[in-house]
């Protein structure tokens, strides 16, 4: 019997664990190396003052039974069935000067309420919700890498998209802010402009909302950390090797072939292939000493103002007398500056929906995410050099946020306690993410679809994976790119490319059609 080929995977986040599980399932042995003492990468949580803080998931695409992503998540052990999930009834409420605009999961209810707010916008409202509904009819082509799509695959995709083509194409070149001008009522304009966190375009916003509408954007009970741990257990149960506290110093290259890695403790780990499941900028410039280039991605990193990646200041609070608020709830506030960026609204997220994890008696956790981008990172990097100044700034931001929540909700005055403040520098320190990004390159009105194979010219047997290789990133694309990296290896090794977790989804879709 031929000895199995070994794949060394750098990074124990979603993409690295995905690659490890699929490798083990398809005739390869996987060694996953993680610099920390826990897996998860950006999909993680941590404990503060008796609470567990969820540092990642606000909704998870792929929670609808019968979809390809759902089958893939289940195959990875992320969750077992719908009983492990929570489906919220809306994507958020946006309060503009007392007028509340809610993105309900029930589209008919949402359209009816929006028309009641602004009858004069009835036609524009109908067109918006038609686009959202059309988006629920298209499933992304995630069965295999784009470069492996054959004529029949492209024909099927074209037929599916063709049925809703105007709804699918028009949003790609529009920003939410520009599109909002089609509406006359200021509350609708404000809601549409602020619905999508980050400076993305309309396509990204509608796609995200459509996953909620379709029941395909639920929340795993317990949050990010347990989900990552379940994937770890799945990987280990298949015979994979996991090495925690294994910080990689560099990738070993001999005669243009990736042979393995050397850890910072001096240990060398060899394999037949190397998959990097972390920020490609870090891979190219730190782990490969800049010897190989990925020009398409390098161009994006070189101009962060034109190719934004989202970061954040994430604040978590303990709140007494659990507020009865939709999740999330966004409202205007007195402007203040964070990291050089002006903020004039807050979006608060109460975690009372998950009583087993985030509720303690009459108290629960509430989070606020303040947008930051690539261009804001230098502020935090410089501030971090003075640890006392860095700590004082975080305390100051927490006080500013609490004061604005209390102004909006006077009943919460004196009942909010800060648990934790994370910044773009926090994200950079713990995950090596360039400029503290928590997602890949955003869609904008000028920068749309983006996909890259993760190969470096002149370097064999190395495959880069992760959310950065398909815009705009996120957990589902991290999962998919981990799988794609292994499929590329399987093609080279002449192993099956139709992976477990795809058969049943394809069968259900065929029977449905």
């Amino acid at each position: 019997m031929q000895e199995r080929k070994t794949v060394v995977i750098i990074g124990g986040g979603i993409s690295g664990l995905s690659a490890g599980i699929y490798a083990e399932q398809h005739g390869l042995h996987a060694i996953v190396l993680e610099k920390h003492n826990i897996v998860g990468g950006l999909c993680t949580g941590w404990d503060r003052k008796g609470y567990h803080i969820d540092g990642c998931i606000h909704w998870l695409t792929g929670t609808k039974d019968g979809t390809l992503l759902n089958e893939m998540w289940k195959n990875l052990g992320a969750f077992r069935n719908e009983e492990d999930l929570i489906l919220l009834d809306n994507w958020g409420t946006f309060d503009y000067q007392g007028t509340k605009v809610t993105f309900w999961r029930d589209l008919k209810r949402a359209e009816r309420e929006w028309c009641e707010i602004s009858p004069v916008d009835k036609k524009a409202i109908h067109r918006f919700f038609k686009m959202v509904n059309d988006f629920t009819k298209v499933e992304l082509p995630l069965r295999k890498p784009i470069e492996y799509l054959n004529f029949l695959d492209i024909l099927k995709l074209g037929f599916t998209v063709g049925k809703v083509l105007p709804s699918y194409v028009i949003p790609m070149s529009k920003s939410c802010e520009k599109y909002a001008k089609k509406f006359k009522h200021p509350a609708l304009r404000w809601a549409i402009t602020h619905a999508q966190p980050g400076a993305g375009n309309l396509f990204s916003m509608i796609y995200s909302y459509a996953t909620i509408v379709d029941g395909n954007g639920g929340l795993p009970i317990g949050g990010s950390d347990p989900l990552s741990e379940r994937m770890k257990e799945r990987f280990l149960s298949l015979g994979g090797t996991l090495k925690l506290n294994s910080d990689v110093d560099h990738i070993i290259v001999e005669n243009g072939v990736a042979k393995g890695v050397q850890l910072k403790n001096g240990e060398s780990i060899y394999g037949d292939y190397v998959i990097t499941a972390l920020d490609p900028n870090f891979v190219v410039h730190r782990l490969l000493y800049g010897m190989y280039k990925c020009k398409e991605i390098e161009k994006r990193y070189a101009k962060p103002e034109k190719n934004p990646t989202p970061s954040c200041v994430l604040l978590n609070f303990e709140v007494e007398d659990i507020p009865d608020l939709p999740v999330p709830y966004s409202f205007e506030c007195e402007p203040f500056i964070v990291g050089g960026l002006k903020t004039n609204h807050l979006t608060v997220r109460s975690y009372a929906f998950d009583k087993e994890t985030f509720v303690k008696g009459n108290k629960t956790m509430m989070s606020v995410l303040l947008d930051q981008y690539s261009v804001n990172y230098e502020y935090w990097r410089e501030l971090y050099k003075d640890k006392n100044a860095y700590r004082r700034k975080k305390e100051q931001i927490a006080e500013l946020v609490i004061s604005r929540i209390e102004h909006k909700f006077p009943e919460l005055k004196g009942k909010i306690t800060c648990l934790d403040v994370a910044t773009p520098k926090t994200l950079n320190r713990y995950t090596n993410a360039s400029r503290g990004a928590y997602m890949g390159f955003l869609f904008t009105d000028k920068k749309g679809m983006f996909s890259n194979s993760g190969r470096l010219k002149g370097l064999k047997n190395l495959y880069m994976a992760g959310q950065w290789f398909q815009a705009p990133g996120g957990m589902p694309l991290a999962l998919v790119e981990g799988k794609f990296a292994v499929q590329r290896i399987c093609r080279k090794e002449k192993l099956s490319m139709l992976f477990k977790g795809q058969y049943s989804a394809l069968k259900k879709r065929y029977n449905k059609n």
Side-chain angles (χ1 to χ4, degrees):
M1 183 176 180
Q2 187 176 3
E3 186 177 349
R4 291 196 298 165
K5 296 289 180 72
T6 296
V7 182
V8 179
I9 301 169
I10 309 172
I14 297 301
S15 194
L17 290 172
S18 170
I21 290 168
Y22 279 112
E24 285 290 335
Q25 288 177 326
H26 293 84
L28 303 165
H29 176 57
I31 302 174
V32 171
L33 307 174
E34 170 55 46
K35 65 180 284 190
H36 292 298
N37 60 356
I38 59 171
V39 297
L42 285 164
C43 181
T44 190
W46 55 93
D47 297 327
R48 290 291 185 275
K49 301 177 184 178
Y51 282 87
H52 181 71
I53 292 172
D54 190 337
C56 180
I57 301 176
H58 287 169
W59 72 87
L60 179 65
T61 305
T63 58
K64 183 180 180 181
D65 187 41
T67 62
L68 179 55
L69 267 176
N70 181 265
E71 294 296 328
M72 289 163 64
W73 281 122
K74 288 178 179 176
N75 178 55
L76 298 181
F79 49 82
R80 295 161 297 179
N81 50 49
E82 282 61 44
E83 293 179 2
D84 292 336
L85 302 166
I86 298 170
L87 291 180
L88 301 178
D89 63 3
N90 72 88
W91 191 50
T93 293
F94 298 82
D95 183 342
Y96 179 79
Q97 298 181 2
T99 299
K100 298 178 178 63
V101 179
T102 300
F103 288 72
W104 294 108
R105 182 152 58 99
D106 182 342
L107 280 186
K108 291 182 179 179
R109 178 182 179 182
E111 184 171 352
R112 183 175 66 251
E113 287 191 6
W114 286 33
C115 287
E116 289 172 358
I117 291 171
S118 182
V120 71
D121 283 313
K122 185 175 181 179
K123 287 186 178 180
I125 291 169
H126 179 71
R127 284 195 293 267
F128 171 74
F129 284 106
K130 182 182 185 305
M131 284 195 295
V132 176
N133 187 56
D134 284 347
F135 266 57
T136 66
K137 301 172 184 176
V138 178
E139 191 169 8
L140 296 178
L142 304 177
R143 192 166 62 87
K144 54 187 175 183
I146 291 175
E147 68 267 28
Y148 296 159
L149 296 180
N150 56 37
F151 176 75
L152 186 59
D153 295 326
I154 295 171
L155 190 65
K156 288 179 179 178
L157 178 63
F159 179 74
T160 302
V161 175
K163 292 187 291 186
V164 295
L165 191 61
S167 294
Y168 217 68
V169 173
I170 291 172
M172 287 185 183
S173 59
K174 291 186 184 297
S175 67
C176 291
E177 184 177 8
K178 182 178 180 180
Y179 179 75
K181 293 177 181 177
K182 291 181 176 291
F183 297 82
K184 294 180 172 61
H185 199 288
L188 296 183
R189 289 201 299 266
W190 194 83
I192 290 170
T193 301
H194 292 83
Q196 179 69 37
N201 67 2
L202 183 64
F203 184 95
S204 185
M205 186 269 272
I206 292 177
Y207 177 82
S208 299
Y209 180 29
T211 63
I212 304 297
V213 169
D214 199 33
N216 200 28
L219 288 157
I221 293 173
S224 305
D225 207 23
L227 181 143
S228 298
E229 285 294 312
R230 288 191 292 269
M231 288 179 62
K232 180 190 79 173
E233 293 305 318
R234 174 68 164 152
F235 172 64
L236 293 175
S237 72
L238 293 168
T241 299
L242 174 64
K243 291 180 175 289
L244 299 174
N245 301 305
S246 298
D247 201 357
V248 174
D249 182 75
H250 65 270
I251 295 169
I252 299 171
V253 178
E254 297 176 4
N255 299 319
V257 180
K259 294 289 187 177
V261 303
Q262 183 170 310
L263 305 183
K264 288 186 176 179
N265 65 8
E267 180 184 359
S268 296
I269 299 174
Y270 290 92
D272 300 283
Y273 295 94
V274 174
I275 293 177
T276 64
L278 64 161
D279 187 295
N281 196 47
F282 182 84
V283 173
V284 169
H285 292 284
R286 293 285 297 277
L287 301 186
L288 289 168
Y289 305 124
M291 294 168 52
Y292 303 91
K293 302 291 183 183
C294 186
K295 291 183 179 179
E296 190 176 8
I297 289 182
E298 294 252 344
K299 288 179 181 178
R300 293 195 169 226
Y301 278 119
K303 297 181 178 180
E305 68 284 351
K306 292 184 178 180
N307 303 282
T309 54
S311 189
C312 67
V313 174
L314 179 64
L315 303 101
N316 285 274
F317 306 98
E318 176 191 70
V319 183
E320 295 183 43
D321 296 337
I322 300 172
D324 184 18
L325 292 174
V327 182
Y329 190 88
S330 187
F331 58 90
E332 292 180 289
C333 70
E334 181 184 350
F336 60 102
I337 304 295
V338 176
L341 185 66
K342 184 178 179 180
T343 298
N344 61 6
H345 74 285
L346 292 180
T347 300
V348 298
R349 177 177 293 271
S350 168
Y351 282 81
F353 60 83
D354 189 343
K355 294 180 173 56
E356 294 182 11
T357 310
F358 301 107
V359 175
K360 295 193 171 192
N362 70 331
K363 300 178 182 179
T364 191
M365 199 180 74
M366 176 186 286
S367 71
V368 173
L369 187 151
L370 304 176
D371 289 335
Q372 298 281 275
Y373 302 99
S374 317
V375 294
N376 303 112
Y377 177 72
E378 292 305 318
Y379 170 88
W380 295 102
R381 188 175 71 85
E382 289 300 313
L383 183 63
Y384 186 73
K385 293 177 181 178
D386 183 340
K387 301 299 191 295
N388 289 328
Y390 177 73
R391 175 181 50 79
R392 288 194 300 270
K393 177 56 67 173
K394 293 200 295 182
E395 292 171 351
Q396 180 189 27
I397 293 171
E399 291 170 2
L400 288 170
V401 170
I402 289 173
S403 69
R404 281 150 179 77
I405 296 175
E406 290 179 342
H407 182 266
K408 179 66 178 178
F409 306 105
E411 66 273 18
L412 296 180
K413 189 172 181 61
K415 298 179 180 180
I416 305 174
T417 303
C418 182
L419 298 172
D420 187 67
V421 181
T423 74
K425 184 60 184 175
T426 310
L427 292 167
N428 171 261
R429 287 170 52 221
Y430 281 93
T431 67
N432 294 324
S434 294
R435 297 182 177 273
Y438 65 78
M439 283 182 66
F441 300 106
L442 286 170
F443 286 166
T444 68
D445 55 349
K446 295 180 177 61
K447 298 283 186 177
M449 292 290 187
F450 167 74
S451 179
N452 186 278
S453 66
R455 301 304 309 278
L456 293 171
K457 187 176 181 179
L459 182 57
K460 296 180 180 179
N461 292 9
L462 183 134
Y463 298 81
M464 294 190 293
Q467 61 170 328
W468 299 272
F469 295 95
Q470 283 198 63
M475 284 180 57
L477 291 177
L479 176 164
V480 169
E481 288 296 330
K483 176 174 77 79
F484 281 178
V486 176
Q487 283 179 300
R488 291 177 176 115
I489 294 173
C490 285
R491 185 182 181 95
K492 185 175 179 180
E493 292 290 328
K494 296 181 172 53
L495 300 171
S496 171
M497 279 179 48
L498 184 60
F499 282 4
K500 294 180 180 179
Q502 298 185 180
Y503 297 109
S504 53
L506 290 170
K507 183 178 178 181
K508 287 178 183 178
R509 200 180 313 143
Y510 175 80
N511 290 337
K512 183 179 179 180
N513 293 336

